[in-house]
Amino acid sequence: MGVRENIRLVQSRIAAALERAGRSEDLVTLVTVTKIVAVAKIQEALEAGVTHLGENRIQDAAPKIAALRNRTDINWHMIGHLQTNKVKLAVELFSLIHSVDSVRLAQEIAKRALQQNKVMDVLFEVNVSGETSKYGLPIAEVVPVVREAARFEGISVKGLMTMAPFVPDPEEVRPYFRKLRELLITLRESGVGQMEYLSMGMTNDFEVAIEEGANIVRVGTAIFEER
Ligand SMILES: *Cc1c(COP(=O)(O)O)cnc(C)c1O
């Protein structure tokens, strides 16, 4: 199966998961994660109609974004850990940063965005599972940190993101996705930011994530792996 067929399959699995969740009217943004693939392969995905691409390292993303700069229909998503010294470039290159995890990083993004006369859309990453190997805010810090960061001019806080632990049975991570959704609702009810997006679900678990309310999924392997 080629990239086009893989994308069609992922899209139909997204539609089926929405159906199961009684959300068939909802839209889910498929972010095609291109971190492991070169521009020629990305072109195949673009030809199949995807317009949201995700990268997790600025230094890998920058040359690809440069190579595809004539494709003004692409929305580039920064999904990996962001270092303060790369923020200026991230603000230039991406339309949504999924991985903000501190007030300090939010403040730097806001500052750089203002310098570039823009408002940067961001999500806060939450370490719902509490694994020490993972980036993201601990659950207890989400509300106070997001509340503080949402006051900065130059950023617009649009929602939350998480990465679930990798386990063979995706049913096991359902509670983490449910918890992220509860946090989003809590923030929404307290009027913090514009809490629109729940970015959760990858190749292994995107269907469960959609059943639990995801409206952005980030899928790489299922699209680019040869089968
Ligand atoms: C790599 C990556 C993905 C995609 O993972 P797959 O399992 O290949 O679908 C999603 N989100 C983040 C943050 C990633 O780094």
Side-chain angles (χ1 to χ4, degrees), residues 7-174:
I7 290 170
R8 293 288 166 268
L9 191 58
V10 168
Q11 282 166 337
S12 68
R13 288 169 62 192
I14 289 172
L18 281 172
E19 190 76 36
R20 279 197 300 282
R23 299 179 53 204
S24 44
E25 309 292 295
D26 288 4
L27 289 177
V28 169
T29 299
L30 169 62
V31 174
T32 298
V33 177
T34 51
K35 67 186 178 203
I36 53 163
V37 301
V39 171
K41 206 81 178 166
I42 297 176
Q43 294 279 13
E44 286 182 45
L46 293 171
E47 278 157 29
V50 304
T51 53
H52 292 266
L53 303 181
E55 286 281 331
N56 67 345
R57 289 159 55 102
I58 300 280
Q59 54 273 44
D60 297 340
K64 297 183 197 176
I65 295 173
L68 291 164
R69 68 182 164 274
N70 60 332
R71 294 287 309 238
T72 50
D73 57 330
I74 304 175
N75 299 283
W76 290 95
H77 294 247
M78 173 59 189
I79 62 175
H81 181 66
L82 183 56
Q83 289 166 295
T84 316
N85 63 353
K86 305 255 167 58
V87 166
K88 179 170 177 279
L89 198 51
V91 169
E92 275 169 38
L93 297 177
F94 291 95
S95 51
L96 181 64
I97 298 173
H98 292 226
S99 47
V100 184
D101 61 0
S102 68
V103 171
R104 201 172 82 95
L105 182 58
Q107 190 162 29
E108 182 65 19
I109 294 170
K111 183 180 112 187
R112 295 298 185 176
L114 285 176
Q115 287 170 354
Q116 297 175 33
N117 286 316
K118 63 195 258 186
V119 175
M120 187 73 221
D121 288 342
V122 303
L123 309 180
F124 271 82
E125 180 171 357
V126 184
N127 182 0
V128 185
S129 64
E131 288 170 291
T132 51
S133 60
K134 283 219 156 69
Y135 291 109
L137 289 169
I139 288 172
E141 289 177 26
V142 172
V143 172
V145 167
V146 175
R147 190 188 294 278
E148 189 175 349
R151 299 198 320 252
F152 298 140
E153 265 180 80
I155 61 170
S156 178
V157 184
K158 296 282 192 184
L160 301 176
M161 179 274 235
T162 199
M163 276 178 88
F166 184 83
V167 289
D169 177 7
E171 276 303 324
E172 281 179 42
V173 296
R174 187 181 290 277

